[in-house]
Amino acid sequence: MSQQLQLQLYQITAYAEELSQVGLVPSPFVAKLLVTQQPLPHVMFKSKAIDSPYIVSLITGANQEIESIGPISGTLGAGGLNYKNKASLENAIAQLDSYERKAYFNAVKVNVSSRMTMVHLKFSCTLVAHQQTHAIESSPTFPFIVITHENQWVEAASKLVLMDGFKGLEKVPWPQFANALHSHFLSATRQDLMRPDRPLTHHELRYFNREFLAGSPVINQQQAMRFFQWFGNIERTIRFKRHVHRLWVEGLICGFLSRTQCEKVLSGQGVGLFIIRFSESQPGLFALAFVSEDLRQKIKHYLVKPEDIGTNKALPDFLRDRDALQYILKLNPENARLSRLSKEMALKKYYSKRKLADAKGYVGTL
């Protein structure tokens, strides 16, 4: 709805501009290109298609007789500079739909690294009206950063979050930064902004502010940067690690709990019950709290180390092989209630197929 209202506002502005110049000779030319749909500020990989489309609309005055319209093409730029190499973009040329007056750009690819610099797209075309040729150009799109390796993701994402959350100011109210953080989180974890699968809750945002920002109602960029070094690695884990996104959405990863909160939840529970959360001290790593058979220390904590899971062993595979973990606590994100499930019932669909050991004395095929 907001995009439609924005489009109507620009159309009214074009009509008003045209009316203000009635009687002038020659009659004024009023036309604009408007980016009416686009991704939020985001991090993308070189030569990999952008997840969301760009839609560009042509807005003209009421008396503009358009005789022909050339293709609309995108260019890559940073600040006031444009990348001259045409090969830097793919899928960035489209024809305008003559009825809707819209051009659709799907799967745009950027074939150069932006070297941790924010870049944008601009769209332009030439058209002929009243036998005159005119060149028009859109405003820049939201910025993005093009990286070449996953290890660059957190640094690039932090630049965009600080830009969006602070808008050039040194200090801002926590709610302002939290709103920008939440929008970035939904985009980074590939969720629909209007119908997210599992957004951050008010409880979780309060937890961030309390545990990492000392409950401050106003934060500065240095505080935000330190916090994002932790939180950005969690976004990276949810986005890139196998099965983690689905485990997060389903509530099998409870996520943002302190060690003390876990102990309170598990107190008095049966042996083998466990909770998966994000470590507060080791960014991006999982911590397990579980009820053990040890009478001296009933509730224990285990940090899932990088060598525990990897390319060939996802988190569910690691949990499958731990006999001390039998029942998992699943969070319902809508009401914050926890329910107990058997580990097998909850995780079986995520297990990798086990490889059989080499069988000596048998032929390999029939």
Side-chain angles (χ1 to χ4, degrees):
M1 178 62 73
S2 61
Q3 292 172 352
Q4 188 63 33
L5 289 174
Q6 184 185 37
L7 191 61
Q8 292 175 356
L9 176 62
Y10 273 89
Q11 185 66 75
I12 291 170
T13 302
Y15 291 157
E17 182 179 344
E18 189 176 46
L19 284 171
S20 69
Q21 302 179 61
V22 168
L24 294 180
V25 179
S27 59
F29 175 74
V30 179
K32 296 179 181 179
L33 283 180
L34 177 67
V35 181
T36 50
Q37 183 173 320
Q38 59 179 310
L40 291 174
H42 64 283
V43 181
M44 64 172 294
F45 285 93
K46 175 184 171 182
S47 301
K48 187 173 181 180
I50 297 175
D51 292 338
S52 303
Y54 289 90
I55 300 179
V56 179
S57 298
L58 174 65
I59 305 297
T60 67
N63 294 320
Q64 304 302 316
E65 295 182 4
I66 306 297
E67 296 156 19
S68 67
I69 303 173
I72 297 179
S73 59
T75 56
L76 185 67
L81 302 175
N82 290 330
Y83 287 74
K84 300 295 185 181
N85 187 355
K86 292 183 179 180
S88 62
L89 285 178
E90 285 185 47
N91 305 324
I93 299 177
Q95 296 292 334
L96 195 77
D97 182 288
S98 58
Y99 177 73
E100 291 188 317
R101 287 197 169 186
K102 293 181 179 180
Y104 297 82
F105 297 84
N106 296 301
V108 173
K109 295 181 181 180
V110 181
N111 294 325
V112 293
S113 167
S114 66
R115 301 188 179 187
M116 288 299 164
T117 299
M118 291 184 227
V119 294
H120 58 255
L121 298 180
K122 282 185 178 182
F123 296 93
S124 61
C125 73
T126 58
L127 51 81
V128 177
H130 305 293
Q131 299 181 343
Q132 296 290 322
T133 300
H134 303 271
I136 56 176
E137 184 178 63
S138 73
S139 298
T141 63
F142 293 144
F144 54 91
I145 296 176
V146 187
I147 61 175
T148 57
H149 194 277
E150 184 188 324
N151 288 339
Q152 300 171 311
W153 196 87
V154 174
E155 180 184 352
S158 68
K159 293 176 180 286
L160 293 168
V161 171
L162 264 64
M163 178 274 300
D164 202 25
F166 285 85
K167 302 187 185 304
L169 301 175
E170 178 56 32
K171 296 181 179 181
V172 296
W174 161 250
Q176 177 176 324
F177 179 75
N179 283 335
L181 181 75
H182 189 228
S183 295
H184 186 274
F185 174 78
L186 295 180
S187 176
T189 55
R190 298 185 174 98
Q191 299 189 56
D192 187 315
L193 298 180
M194 302 305 295
R195 294 179 295 276
D197 298 313
R198 185 179 170 185
L200 297 173
T201 65
H202 290 296
H203 171 78
E204 289 166 333
L205 292 169
R206 287 195 296 269
Y207 162 81
F208 298 153
N209 183 254
R210 180 182 68 249
E211 298 295 329
F212 295 93
L213 298 161
S216 176
V218 177
I219 65 170
N220 60 42
Q221 291 202 30
Q222 290 72 28
Q223 290 173 303
M225 177 65 79
R226 286 195 298 270
F227 165 72
F228 198 80
Q229 290 308 305
W230 174 77
F231 185 75
N233 276 286
I234 292 173
E235 286 188 339
R236 176 185 170 187
T237 295
I238 295 174
R239 183 180 179 94
F240 295 111
K241 298 299 182 184
R242 188 157 54 104
H243 300 315
V244 171
H245 180 267
R246 289 310 311 167
L247 295 173
W248 164 259
V249 167
E250 291 184 21
L252 294 169
I253 297 173
C254 288
F256 303 110
L257 293 171
S258 67
R259 177 183 288 239
T260 302
Q261 288 173 315
C262 287
E263 292 175 352
K264 183 177 180 181
V265 169
L266 294 175
S267 178
Q269 299 296 319
V271 171
L273 185 65
F274 69 99
I275 291 176
I276 308 173
R277 67 184 179 95
F278 294 111
S279 170
E280 293 176 301
S281 59
Q282 301 295 320
L285 299 186
F286 296 107
L288 307 175
F290 63 99
V291 182
S292 74
E293 294 179 334
D294 188 345
L295 297 179
R296 294 172 300 177
Q297 186 183 0
K298 288 294 292 180
I299 299 173
K300 295 185 177 183
H301 300 270
Y302 180 83
L303 180 69
V304 182
K305 297 176 282 295
E307 57 266 29
D308 291 330
I309 56 178
T311 304
N312 299 317
K313 191 173 187 179
L315 178 63
D317 297 323
F318 171 80
L319 298 173
R320 172 177 56 183
D321 298 333
R322 298 300 174 275
D323 293 336
L325 309 176
Q326 292 298 322
Y327 300 95
I328 186 171
L329 280 178
K330 177 180 178 180
L331 175 71
N332 183 333
E334 294 184 1
N335 56 27
R337 292 180 180 174
L338 293 166
S339 58
R340 170 180 165 140
L341 297 175
S342 75
K343 178 176 70 174
E344 290 299 305
M345 179 183 295
L347 300 177
K348 185 176 181 179
K349 63 183 177 181
Y350 298 112
Y351 291 159
S352 301
K353 292 182 179 179
R354 293 187 185 274
K355 292 183 178 180
L356 295 176
D358 292 338
K360 295 182 179 179
Y362 293 90
V363 296
T365 60
L366 288 176

